Amino acid sequence: MQLAACRVAAMLANGRAMTIDKTFAPAEIEAKWYSNWEESGKFRPERPDAEPFTIIIPPPNVTGSLHMGHALDNTLQDVLIRYHRLKGRDALWVVGTDHAGIATQMVVERQLAEKQIKRTDLGREKFVEKVWEWKAESGGAITTQLRRLGASCDWKNERFTMDEGFSAAVTKVFVDLYDKKLIYRDKRLVNWDPKFKTAISDLEVETVEVQGKFWHMSYPLADGSGKISVATTRPETMLADMAVAVHPDDARYKALIGKEVKLPITGRLVPIVADEHADPELGSGAVKVTPGHDFNDFEVGKRAGFKPADMLNMFDDEAHVVQTEDGLIPEDYIGMERFAAREKVVAQLEAESLLEQVEDRVIQTPYGDRSGVVIEPWLTDQWYVDAQKLAIPAIAAVRDGKAKFVPKTWEKTYFNWMENIQPWCVSRQLWWGHQIPAWYDESGKPYVAESEAKARALAGPDARLTRDPDVLDTWFSSALWPFGTLGWPEDSDKLKRHYPGSVLVTGFDIIFFWVARMMMQGIEFMGQAPFETVYCHGLVRDASGAKMSKSKGNTVDPLELIDQYGADALRFTMTAMETQGRDIKLSSQRVEGYRNFATKLWNAARFCEVNGIGASDKIAAPPANLAVNRWIISEVARTRRTLDASMRDYRFDAYADGIYHFVWSRFCDWYLELIKPVLQEGGSADDAAETRAVAGWALDQILVMLHPVMPFITEELWHALGDRGRHDLVTAKWVEADDIDEEASAEIDWLIRLVSEVRSGRSELNVPAGAKLPLFVRDASEATKTRIAVNQPIIERMCRAESISHDEAPAGGAAQIVVDEATYVLPLEGVIDLAAERARLEKNAAAAEKEAKSLEGRLSNPAFVEKAKPEAVEKARTDHGEKTAEAERLRAALARLG
RNA sequence: GGGCGCGUAGCUCAGCGGUAGAGCACUGCCUUCACACGGCAGGGGUCACAGGUUCAAACCCUGUCGCGCCCACCA
């Protein structure tokens, strides 16, 4: 019995079964639609004649899992891609992952360590094999997660920075740059990471303020004539000191220049040299010089005549003490860890009474951003890219507007860095990555070529070649992503069609790491910047504004939010909160709110279905006579304009806001309410048919316009509302309707104002919500009378009026509502609190008078009338007239109240 | 030491020359036949501060205070 009743309730008038469930359950529809889209190739429809729109994904690390930053970044990209796909463009979202040198090597090494295996036990070849195995098994989890977010990437052409084709591109770029002398090998100080035992670039070094000490030490002069004071934050490096520097103009030390110091502990004899680096204002004015272990000292050392090859080195690759070339470090120091060596040096100096003073001091200390250990400046041979040369056209491209940053303010950051760019150290002492295509003969002369055979051709048949064991910085390959993924160096159609990309979406934090380098390489190898626009978004922070970090434990897992609220809700949150240039403070409340929005739409669609409103078979708006229908068609057009403008300007927040308000505050709150009398209270059949057609069309437009942000629910409803076969929303057509009916808009605006005012009056006077009252209209113009007549059923329903009359209202207490020229009277004899109504009218009258007075003041100022824009003056006049009239009518109503 | 950004309703943020907006939170009413993840109505802001430009400033300029971020070799 009960079952049968359910079944009946689940059938519609037209015989179709209800397809929209009572509750909106995101998880089911998400899984269903994503695989549907992907399997049917809907992310990449064939559109050979359409204008291309291309986005290259910032490739996530293969080791990565989706975090909020990805959720933001990829939501924005997907919104753009889906929007332009709907607009008919040939939209391509290139996807792939990054091999992430250090990160991946670390993961696999850690895994091996569990089995007590060291990377060196396996040897390079075996180890790299293990990494590939790892990748096959557990790499790329993030690609599954991107799918859960709804990212409509071109998965059929997924790339990896170490796949065959891409690797070939990397090798070619290296060789070409070498041949153009834009890559060279050099011996100099690098930032050495003693944990990973590799060089890293300047950018991978993070300077942190730490509490340290400043040690003042005495260095005796070699001739026994006295001593000189130096101060340092790193006393252990004195074991490799090669000089003491004083300022050439420092009167205190002029006589000492050229003399020698006999270093404590090592007994090394080193010269006192003049160098402007020594600041007479600081400390004693004399500074110890350790060219092999300090960037400043390296330069001082070079100026003092030391060649890099002769600079003393006292550390091995783990920053343990090793003997210097001259053999002067006492044996008991050898093998000591650097900080232990520091303590020992300090203790020994103290014992020898050579420690003058120890100060506490905050020190800027360099740390490896991945390893977290103190970086050691270390003298090694490395490969460098001449970034300064490559930067010149990359700067010009932005300066000339060929590539532009959004928001524009990031251009300053870009220029500032590019103009002061340093040589880029690109070699890494790792095993996982693109091995550098350089071979050395026995004398150490390098031959750079795309293969060993080609290197041999350069070196001659008799040379014994060994390959450079190092690999390239991961960012070196990432820099080629915009063209390497499109088939370069092959001159493919795809490359021609999709390079440069339309827009790059990324966090501002990798402008230097990645954007700048793509600009340089893209221009060098493709002749033009890799994208027209670089959209930089901020960071996703926790609700209190703190940076999310695993160590703080304040990270929010986007997948959990998806489980809880649905991918659409998360995507809407990211879109709505993306205001240009600001970081995002994420709160789950916000996500919940947008889940509610999805539910609202879901229920609106259910309402439509129940009322026989279904999929529209039209792209253009259906013909309409009723004002409500003409109005909603206009509102769709207005919304469309707003959304188009928002996308054009990359105003994601405005896009989200625009569709949100249209759906909730216009379509649901007013349109659906306004058409209820037509559909449910026996309006004419023609009117009902017209309304169903228009409502179905408007709902379709909502689905299309919302789809870029909420792809899942919109696709589900798209099909639930009618049988569209395999015509999916993902490849539907964006509304281009642009008809705006000013007359209908004015009428419905009036209707909305009338209903709102009456409701407000009733509410303020505590009229019971359900009470039906007669409504008397006075002073209405003919036009208003017509509008009232036409809209009578709606007005009665929404104002809870039992009748509407133009007769004079009965005497006695009443609520009076002023809308435009007319006054609407609700008799409340006996019920009304006269004092309350008087207060209400008084408040409204005072407000109108205040505004009228302010406008009057402005209009009576001759300067305003003369100098202000004519539109502004005109508007002030109109507003003044209206406000004055309104105030008069309210006063009249008050007078009537007695 | 340079550079950038921010300070608008209790909270998170739009607005960037014509006398203040949204979402959430808050208050009152409503189990009205799409939706209580809801409906209707409402309260709440000297737009950090001080000067200046302008007929008109939250919005432009200068300075002050507070808060963030980035870059930089003070040994």
Side-chain angles (χ1 to χ4, degrees):
Chain A
M1 181 68 194
Q2 233 180 354
L3 204 72
C6 274
R7 229 175 255 146
V8 172
M11 293 296 284
L12 296 171
N14 59 13
R16 262 186 73 214
M18 275 286 286
T19 53
I20 304 178
D21 286 346
K22 190 154 169 56
T23 50
F24 162 53
E28 294 164 28
I29 66 175
E30 285 172 13
K32 177 178 75 181
W33 284 115
Y34 198 90
S35 50
N36 241 311
W37 290 327
E38 187 176 351
E39 280 154 25
S40 60
K42 290 284 161 71
F43 294 154
R44 190 84 188 101
E46 289 275 329
R47 288 177 179 172
D49 301 324
E51 194 192 340
F53 179 82
T54 310
I55 294 183
I56 310 282
I57 201 171
N61 291 353
V62 263
T63 52
S65 58
L66 197 80
H67 56 62
M68 284 311 308
H70 292 123
L72 170 65
D73 192 54
N74 291 292
T75 295
L76 301 182
Q77 292 176 67
D78 199 41
V79 168
L80 288 164
I81 278 286
R82 285 182 187 267
Y83 170 81
H84 284 103
R85 193 185 291 122
L86 292 171
K87 292 282 263 187
R89 301 274 293 267
D90 176 20
L92 168 64
W93 188 3
V94 178
V95 71
T97 50
D98 192 304
H99 68 279
I102 290 183
T104 310
Q105 181 160 328
M106 249 170 75
V107 167
V108 177
E109 278 190 83
R110 209 179 298 134
Q111 224 174 39
L112 289 173
E114 282 168 21
K115 297 183 222 156
Q116 316 294 327
I117 306 172
K118 278 193 282 187
R119 150 169 84 108
T120 42
D121 299 339
L122 291 178
R124 181 174 191 137
E125 210 170 310
K126 277 254 161 59
F127 176 78
V128 170
E129 233 169 73
K130 283 273 175 215
V131 183
W132 280 108
E133 277 170 32
W134 175 88
K135 182 190 176 277
E137 278 166 36
S138 19
I142 196 164
T143 59
T144 311
Q145 298 170 330
L146 283 171
R147 287 175 168 93
R148 287 212 55 201
L149 187 67
S152 59
C153 313
D154 179 22
W155 296 108
K156 285 198 178 123
N157 296 295
E158 183 180 342
R159 299 299 301 268
F160 179 54
T161 50
M162 274 175 67
D163 68 30
E164 208 179 313
F166 202 88
S167 297
V170 172
T171 304
K172 180 172 167 52
V173 164
F174 189 94
V175 174
D176 284 3
L177 288 175
Y178 179 80
D179 291 342
K180 290 190 237 177
K181 307 242 181 313
L182 291 167
I183 279 186
Y184 56 91
R185 197 164 163 76
D186 198 10
K187 188 187 202 77
R188 63 170 73 174
L189 284 183
V190 286
N191 299 296
W192 185 264
D193 188 318
K195 180 173 174 191
F196 293 138
K197 293 192 245 180
T198 178
I200 58 176
S201 78
D202 299 347
L203 284 176
E204 292 159 280
V205 176
E206 212 176 321
T207 308
V208 181
E209 285 195 347
V210 296
Q211 196 51 240
K213 286 192 162 59
F214 198 43
W215 286 272
H216 298 254
M217 333 185 274
S218 283
Y219 281 2
L221 296 180
D223 59 10
S225 63
K227 60 190 177 69
I228 187 164
S229 283
V230 294
T232 181
T233 54
R234 301 201 50 197
E236 71 281 12
T237 62
M238 63 85 63
L239 299 175
D241 273 359
M242 296 182 77
V244 169
V246 296
H247 196 276
D249 303 333
D250 194 333
R252 293 171 296 178
Y253 298 117
K254 265 203 166 140
L256 296 182
I257 293 168
K259 287 197 171 191
E260 283 190 322
V261 159
K262 185 172 188 209
L263 290 174
I265 304 177
T266 57
R268 184 179 301 126
L269 294 173
V270 303
I272 295 173
V273 299
D275 194 287
E276 310 216 329
H277 167 65
D279 185 345
E281 305 293 314
L282 286 170
S284 66
V287 59
K288 68 192 268 306
V289 180
T290 320
H293 296 288
D294 182 282
F295 287 101
N296 287 314
D297 293 4
F298 181 78
E299 298 303 321
V300 176
K302 279 205 293 191
R303 286 195 291 269
F306 298 108
K307 291 200 186 71
D310 299 329
M311 292 177 183
L312 293 176
N313 170 51
M314 55 168 282
F315 286 130
D316 64 10
D317 61 1
E318 288 180 289
H320 291 174
V321 177
V322 293
Q323 189 53 272
T324 45
E325 189 91 327
D326 58 12
L328 290 171
I329 299 180
E331 269 311 306
D332 49 355
Y333 279 93
I334 305 302
M336 281 187 93
E337 195 273 333
R338 54 186 160 165
F339 298 110
R342 174 178 301 177
E343 281 177 35
K344 190 171 168 69
V345 165
V346 170
Q348 195 168 345
L349 288 173
E350 192 162 22
E352 291 175 24
S353 304
L354 294 170
L355 194 61
E356 296 171 356
Q357 195 193 341
V358 185
E359 280 177 63
D360 286 324
R361 186 156 177 162
V362 174
I363 300 167
Q364 310 283 328
T365 309
Y367 283 84
D369 63 356
R370 296 204 88 95
S371 66
V373 302
V374 175
I375 292 306
E376 198 62 50
W378 205 42
L379 199 54
T380 53
D381 289 298
Q382 302 287 347
W383 290 98
Y384 291 89
V385 168
D386 184 348
Q388 220 165 345
K389 282 221 181 72
L390 292 174
I392 294 167
I395 293 168
V398 176
R399 213 161 303 276
D400 301 345
K402 293 193 179 104
K404 63 172 204 286
F405 281 77
V406 177
K408 200 172 168 54
T409 173
W410 292 114
E411 289 182 1
K412 288 176 210 150
T413 308
Y414 173 84
F415 289 138
N416 189 21
W417 189 70
M418 285 294 237
E419 281 158 6
N420 298 295
I421 199 163
Q422 297 301 307
W424 174 18
C425 174
V426 292
S427 40
R428 297 288 181 276
Q429 287 64 52
L430 304 170
W431 285 352
W432 177 243
H434 301 101
Q435 194 171 350
I436 290 173
W439 284 261
Y440 302 97
D441 64 17
E442 289 140 302
S443 71
K445 185 166 186 283
Y447 300 92
V448 172
E450 284 174 53
S451 65
E452 181 161 1
K454 285 185 182 166
R456 178 157 302 284
L458 295 171
D462 301 328
R464 272 187 52 195
L465 295 180
T466 43
R467 184 162 186 180
D468 191 317
D470 292 350
V471 300
L472 285 164
D473 180 5
T474 304
W475 295 106
F476 184 89
S477 48
S478 314
L480 320 180
W481 192 241
F483 52 95
T485 49
L486 296 172
W488 187 90
E490 303 288 308
D491 190 20
S492 67
D493 285 347
K494 194 174 182 182
L495 183 62
K496 277 193 211 117
R497 199 165 161 71
H498 293 285
Y499 188 97
S502 309
V503 53
L504 173 80
V505 178
T506 193
F508 67 83
D509 51 325
I510 55 172
I511 290 177
F512 303 149
F513 277 107
W514 194 46
V515 180
R517 280 140 178 197
M518 284 191 287
M519 294 289 290
M520 293 192 279
Q521 301 288 42
I523 292 170
E524 180 66 25
F525 288 92
M526 293 297 298
Q528 58 181 324
F531 2 74
E532 289 154 18
T533 300
V534 178
Y535 182 84
C536 295
H537 57 249
L539 260 44
V540 184
R541 298 170 175 277
D542 74 6
S544 65
K547 205 166 164 172
M548 286 187 187
S549 75
K550 279 175 221 145
S551 54
K552 263 186 264 173
N554 64 342
T555 53
V556 175
D557 182 353
L559 295 166
E560 278 175 27
L561 287 174
I562 290 174
D563 288 340
Q564 202 174 351
Y565 301 110
D568 287 332
L570 177 63
R571 292 169 58 108
F572 203 100
T573 308
M574 295 289 103
T575 310
M577 295 188 86
E578 175 55 22
T579 63
Q580 282 184 8
R582 253 191 212 250
D583 287 349
I584 289 178
K585 287 181 197 165
L586 180 76
S587 77
S588 61
Q589 252 188 2
R590 197 76 187 252
V591 188
E592 190 185 342
Y594 292 125
R595 188 274 319 267
N596 294 352
F597 171 65
T599 307
K600 182 76 181 176
L601 174 67
W602 185 266
N603 284 309
R606 282 183 64 227
F607 169 84
C608 287
E609 187 179 43
V610 169
N611 285 282
I613 295 162
S616 181
D617 52 3
K618 295 185 169 57
I619 288 177
N625 288 313
L626 296 180
V628 257
N629 290 331
R630 286 185 284 140
W631 168 75
I632 199 67
I633 290 167
S634 303
E635 289 294 291
V636 167
R638 289 197 178 94
T639 304
R640 198 227 82 207
R641 285 183 186 174
T642 305
L643 300 189
D644 278 336
S646 304
M647 268 304 98
R648 189 197 57 223
D649 299 338
Y650 297 96
R651 290 305 308 252
F652 294 94
D653 57 336
Y655 190 99
D657 186 65
I659 190 66
Y660 184 96
H661 280 100
F662 177 64
V663 171
W664 203 315
S665 311
R666 302 275 97 182
F667 187 77
C668 291
D669 286 352
W670 289 105
Y671 182 68
L672 292 185
E673 294 304 322
L674 292 171
I675 64 175
K676 276 177 183 175
V678 185
L679 298 173
Q680 300 174 347
E681 286 170 16
S684 83
D686 284 352
D687 285 353
E690 171 193 306
T691 299
R692 287 202 181 89
V694 172
W697 176 85
L699 183 54
D700 271 6
Q701 304 324 315
I702 284 174
L703 298 179
V704 174
M705 292 188 290
L706 181 57
H707 182 262
V709 192
M710 292 188 146
F712 295 108
I713 188 177
T714 51
E715 186 74 81
E716 175 70 15
L717 293 175
W718 177 260
H719 286 285
L721 286 163
D723 182 7
R724 314 206 202 213
R726 282 307 287 152
H727 175 47
D728 291 343
L729 178 57
V730 63
T731 49
K733 204 164 167 0
W734 179 266
V735 218
E736 297 293 348
D738 207 15
D739 8 17
I740 287 182
D741 185 327
E742 298 294 352
E743 194 190 311
S745 297
E747 181 170 333
I748 302 301
D749 283 349
W750 162 83
L751 182 60
I752 288 173
R753 266 185 295 132
L754 170 61
V755 170
S756 301
E757 289 294 328
V758 171
R759 282 171 170 173
S760 174
R762 288 175 58 116
S763 174
E764 281 184 51
L765 294 169
N766 295 315
V767 176
K772 288 202 168 188
L773 304 169
L775 183 64
F776 294 87
V777 188
R778 60 179 299 154
D779 305 336
S781 66
E782 285 310 310
T784 299
K785 282 181 179 161
T786 307
R787 280 175 171 177
I788 291 170
V790 171
N791 294 290
Q792 185 151 347
I794 293 173
I795 297 170
E796 284 180 353
R797 181 183 177 114
M798 299 189 82
C799 295
R800 298 244 139 202
E802 67 176 8
S803 61
I804 300 176
S805 162
H806 294 279
D807 299 341
E808 190 163 337
Q816 300 175 81
I817 284 112
V818 173
V819 177
D820 297 345
E821 86 291 355
T823 300
Y824 301 79
V825 184
L826 293 168
L828 289 163
E829 182 67 41
V831 192
I832 193 169
D833 178 345
L834 280 178
E837 171 64 353
R838 217 173 273 127
R840 192 184 70 84
L841 289 170
E842 179 61 45
K843 188 185 80 184
N844 291 349
E849 278 158 4
K850 192 183 162 202
E851 275 196 60
K853 202 177 165 195
S854 153
L855 287 161
E856 196 184 320
R858 224 196 292 178
L859 286 163
S860 64
N861 176 358
F864 172 70
V865 183
E866 279 165 33
K867 296 189 183 173
K869 283 176 291 188
E871 311 93 82
V873 179
E874 189 48 43
K875 185 172 185 307
R877 287 214 172 96
T878 315
D879 291 353
H880 178 250
E882 282 175 7
K883 284 296 160 192
T884 310
E886 188 186 331
E888 279 166 13
R889 278 180 217 110
L890 287 161
R891 287 286 165 212
L894 261 171
R896 254 175 263 128
L897 210 57

